[in-house]
């Protein structure tokens, strides 16, 4: 077998290995954030739009804020792992506070219906 044929064969093997390694790396992608979602309702189960939801990091003091949509839903798509205090506030309603909300990387937390 000539040198050029060996070189071509090695190039094909190297290219195939590169393709396999690149696609394997993409399937193992990890995120380093969490997400939090839920909805806010009144005592009768009606959706509450315009409610302010605040997540405050207990270790860093960072604050994230969301406002419920017309169906009372909210979402924090990217939240750093930490322990949070959550406040749910709307003028005319009692403020709801939840402490020690622990979020880890890759968590997808649904808080359900908050009243």
């Amino acid at each position: 077998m000539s040198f050029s044929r060996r070189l071509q064969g090695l190039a094909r093997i190297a290219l195939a290995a590169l393709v396999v390694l690149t696609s394997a790396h993409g399937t193992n992608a990890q995120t380093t954030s969490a997400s939090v979602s839920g909805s806010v309702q009144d005592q009768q189960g009606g959706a509450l739009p315009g409610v302010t939801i605040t997540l405050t990091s207990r270790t860093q003091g960072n604050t994230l804020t969301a406002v419920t949509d017309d169906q009372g839903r909210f979402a924090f798509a990217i939240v750093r792992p930490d322990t949070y205090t959550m406040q749910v506030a709307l003028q005319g309603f009692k403020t709801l506070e939840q402490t020690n909300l622990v979020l880890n990387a890759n968590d997808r937390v649904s808080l359900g219906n908050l009243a």
Side-chain angles (χ1 to χ4, degrees), residues 2-109:
S2 71
F3 178 74
S4 64
R5 284 190 179 207
R6 284 187 191 168
L7 191 57
Q8 286 176 348
L10 286 175
R12 286 184 185 132
I13 292 171
L15 181 60
L18 182 63
V19 168
V20 168
L21 290 175
T22 302
S23 36
H25 177 69
T27 60
N28 292 328
Q30 295 283 323
T31 61
T32 58
S33 63
S35 65
V36 178
S37 63
S39 64
V40 182
Q41 299 177 342
D42 62 18
Q43 294 296 332
Q44 289 75 33
L48 287 175
V51 177
T52 301
I53 291 72
T54 306
L55 290 177
T56 304
S57 163
R58 296 209 33 221
T59 61
Q60 298 180 12
N62 300 338
T63 301
L64 299 170
T65 303
V67 177
T68 58
D69 64 12
D70 61 343
Q71 296 182 358
R73 298 175 301 200
F74 67 91
F76 295 93
I78 300 174
V79 182
R80 294 177 71 169
D82 204 342
T83 301
Y84 291 87
T85 297
M86 179 185 69
Q87 283 191 333
V88 180
L90 180 65
Q91 187 173 5
F93 289 85
K94 183 179 176 183
T95 298
L96 171 67
E97 182 171 286
Q98 181 178 347
T99 58
N100 297 322
L101 178 60
V102 178
L103 299 174
N104 298 300
N106 299 314
D107 282 353
R108 291 193 170 139
V109 177

